[in-house]
């Protein structure tokens, strides 16, 4: 370091601080948010930290400085995190007649309060008709919608009785299936308008359990554009940390519930948290992330103005084969984007 200019010494100091913060971000997914509620917010910004480390690697590389090792080694350690943030395109496995498709979509009550100046119900109806998912999981479902779901003879619509006022009446989740539903139920999230529901779906001679989950919202709009001062940022951090603690309890309920299931499992839904979080690890468990297996690009499902967040997921059991995954970035009819995966039962797995 003694051979560095004063400017480079300052840059290296910033690099060391960034390295320390990034390393903390690596550790946080293994720590329960209730232990470090404010610090756990850092997991939301881990992709940004990784990008800045890449910039430092580039900066030291063009000067042929050994300080490149600091962020370089850190990035090598964090390769599993990078794969959750960005995926290069993969060829989908050819379609087979036994495949089935699963779509997850937070529809934001089908634009009940006119957030978007569009005929959202018509657009979503046409989208469902075009994509034809075999199993459709909807979060923030509004019961008095005008859509036609007659293509799905098997339906499970769950109206959550928790919450207050209008939210109590409107918060619902739904699973629509072209295949028979032989069992269904919900996981009670105490004192929450959010919920997790499940349906055991009979596909041919096999059964798959489909969970449709919607974890505690962090209550930050995707279209925030006003200037955020210190007091507002403190309120935002408090909201997020409080939501993360609730999410942890909800995730642990799901984790315990799915342990009792002997069927292959598919989990769909809006987790309101990043792929770098403790909540993500708890819910996913040993399941495969369909985006990581067959997705491409950033995988954004909740497009903040300056930050492409991935908070909606489809996880699949290792007894299933993931053939393709798509997030529909051009279909903006909610604050979330729909995602869909093509799956099949893996005959090679006993």
């Amino acid at each position: 370091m003694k051979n560095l200019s004063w400017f480079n010494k300052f840059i290296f100091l910033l690099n060391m601080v960034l390295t320390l913060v990034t390393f903390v971000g690596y550790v946080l997914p293994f720590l329960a948010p209730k232990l470090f509620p404010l610090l756990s917010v850092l997991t939301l910004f881990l992709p940004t930290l990784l990008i800045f480390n890449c910039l430092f690697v580039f900066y030291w590389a063009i000067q042929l400085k050994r300080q490149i090792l600091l962020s370089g080694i850190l990035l090598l350690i964090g390769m599993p995190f990078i794969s959750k943030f960005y995926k290069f395109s993969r060829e989908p496995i050819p379609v087979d007649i036994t495949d089935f498709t699963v779509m997850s979509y937070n529809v934001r009550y089908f634009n009940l309060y006119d957030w978007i100046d569009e005929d959202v119900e018509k657009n979503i109806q046409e989208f469902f008709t075009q994509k034809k998912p075999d199993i459709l999981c909807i979060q923030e479902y509004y019961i008095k919608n005008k859509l036609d779901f007659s293509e799905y003879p098997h339906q499970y619509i769950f109206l959550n009785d928790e919450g207050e006022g209008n939210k109590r009446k409107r918060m619902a989740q739904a699973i629509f299936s072209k295949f028979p539903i032989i069992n269904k139920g919900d996981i009670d999230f105490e004192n929450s308008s959010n919920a997790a529901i499940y349906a055991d779906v009979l596909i041919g001679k096999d059964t798959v359990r489909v969970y449709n989950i919607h974890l505690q919202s962090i209550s930050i709009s995707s279209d925030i554009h006003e200037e955020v001062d210190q007091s507002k940022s403190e309120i935002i951090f408090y909201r997020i940390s409080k939501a993360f603690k609730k999410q942890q309890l909800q995730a642990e309920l799901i984790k315990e519930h799915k342990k009792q299931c002997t069927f292959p499992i598919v989990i769909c839904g809006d987790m309101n948290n990043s792929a770098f979080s403790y909540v993500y690890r708890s819910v996913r468990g040993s399941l495969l992330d369909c985006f990581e297996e067959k997705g491409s690009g950033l995988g954004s499902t909740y497009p903040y103005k300056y930050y492409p967040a991935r908070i909606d997921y489809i996880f699949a059991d290792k007894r299933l084969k993931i053939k393709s995954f798509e997030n529909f970035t051009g279909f903006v009819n909610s604050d979330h984007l729909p995602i869909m995966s093509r799956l099949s039962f893996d005959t090679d797995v006993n």
Side-chain angles (χ1 to χ4, degrees):
M1 190 166 171
K2 62 182 180 180
N3 296 324
L4 296 177
S5 66
W6 282 107
F7 179 74
N8 272 349
K9 286 179 180 178
F10 174 70
I11 294 296
F12 189 56
L13 179 61
L14 293 179
N15 195 169
M16 287 191 290
V17 172
L18 177 67
T19 301
L20 177 61
V21 174
T22 306
F23 186 77
V24 172
Y26 285 177
V27 174
L28 285 173
F30 302 92
L31 303 176
K34 64 183 179 182
L35 299 177
F36 307 97
L38 287 175
L39 198 58
S40 63
V41 177
L42 186 63
T43 59
L44 292 175
F45 304 101
L46 189 54
T48 303
L49 299 176
L50 293 172
I51 290 172
F52 277 116
N53 275 284
C54 288
L55 293 176
F56 274 115
V57 166
F58 178 75
Y59 178 81
W60 297 120
I62 60 177
Q63 299 185 65
L64 300 177
K65 299 289 188 182
R66 63 184 180 181
Q67 279 72 20
I68 190 177
L69 293 174
L70 187 61
S71 283
I73 293 173
L74 187 74
L75 289 172
L76 287 175
I77 295 172
M79 285 303 293
F81 293 97
I82 295 172
S83 68
K84 296 180 186 301
F85 171 55
Y86 187 89
K87 298 297 294 185
F88 292 100
S89 181
R90 294 187 182 185
E91 286 295 322
I93 299 173
V95 174
D96 189 87
I97 194 171
T98 59
D99 295 350
F100 61 96
T101 52
V102 180
M103 178 179 285
S104 180
Y105 191 15
N106 183 324
V107 298
R108 205 185 193 191
Y109 312 114
F110 299 107
N111 200 36
L112 176 62
Y113 298 108
D114 298 319
W115 293 292
I116 303 171
D117 188 19
E118 293 276 348
D119 189 347
V120 166
E121 286 188 318
K122 179 183 176 183
N123 293 344
I124 292 178
Q125 180 76 75
E126 291 175 350
F127 178 75
F128 289 160
T129 301
Q130 178 188 5
K131 298 303 176 183
K132 297 180 174 20
D134 295 311
I135 300 171
L136 175 61
C137 295
I138 296 179
Q139 304 89 43
E140 295 190 15
Y141 179 84
Y142 180 56
I143 289 184
K144 295 181 180 179
N145 68 82
K146 299 175 183 176
L147 276 73
D148 178 11
F149 290 102
S150 59
E151 284 191 33
Y152 298 91
H154 311 283
Q155 306 179 2
Y156 176 33
I157 299 171
F158 175 79
L159 179 62
N160 196 344
D161 232 9
E162 297 289 347
E164 299 177 355
N166 289 333
K167 194 166 188 177
R168 180 178 181 272
K169 297 175 184 177
R170 71 179 187 235
M171 183 67 83
Q173 282 169 242
I175 298 175
F176 296 94
S177 174
K178 295 179 180 179
F179 307 107
I181 293 175
I182 59 175
N183 183 37
K184 59 190 178 183
D186 68 280
I187 303 173
D188 181 35
F189 292 166
E190 189 176 352
N191 299 321
S192 175
S193 55
N194 297 76
I197 64 175
Y198 65 91
D200 294 337
V201 181
L202 184 63
I203 304 175
K205 295 180 179 180
D206 297 300
T207 302
V208 62
R209 172 163 291 180
V210 178
Y211 286 91
N212 180 11
I213 69 173
H214 186 201
L215 300 191
Q216 188 69 35
S217 173
I218 60 176
S219 302
I220 298 177
S221 173
S222 62
D223 54 6
I224 288 178
H225 61 273
E226 74 249 32
E227 185 176 339
V228 179
D229 57 23
Q230 183 177 348
S231 62
K232 286 181 181 177
S233 64
E234 288 174 356
I235 292 171
I236 289 173
F237 269 73
Y238 173 75
R239 280 184 185 173
I240 294 174
S241 61
K242 184 179 179 182
F244 280 7
K245 286 192 286 185
K246 279 194 172 184
Q247 287 178 4
Q248 178 191 334
L249 297 176
Q250 295 165 358
E252 288 170 353
L253 288 173
I254 295 169
K255 180 180 178 180
E256 289 304 311
H257 192 277
K258 66 187 178 76
K259 282 181 181 178
Q260 304 166 23
C261 180
T262 58
F263 306 130
I265 290 172
V266 174
I267 297 181
C268 299
D270 170 14
M271 292 208 319
N272 279 307
N273 213 320
S274 76
F276 311 100
S277 65
Y278 176 91
V279 169
Y280 170 93
R281 289 186 66 254
S282 294
V283 173
R284 175 182 171 177
S286 63
L287 303 179
L288 300 173
D289 185 329
C290 293
F291 167 76
E292 285 189 42
E293 297 300 315
K294 289 294 175 181
S296 64
L298 295 171
S300 171
T301 67
Y302 193 79
Y304 283 105
K305 190 173 182 180
Y306 302 110
Y307 190 82
R310 184 167 78 96
I311 61 175
D312 301 82
Y313 306 92
I314 299 177
F315 301 139
D317 200 289
K318 291 179 180 178
R319 288 172 285 180
L320 299 171
K321 184 177 291 184
I322 302 168
K323 293 197 166 184
S324 66
F325 177 88
E326 186 173 1
N327 61 311
F328 301 93
T329 54
F331 189 73
V332 185
N333 283 270
S334 169
D335 52 346
H336 291 251
L337 299 172
I339 54 177
M340 185 167 76
S341 186
R342 179 176 293 277
L343 307 168
S344 68
F345 288 91
D346 193 343
T347 57
D348 297 329
V349 178
N350 295 322

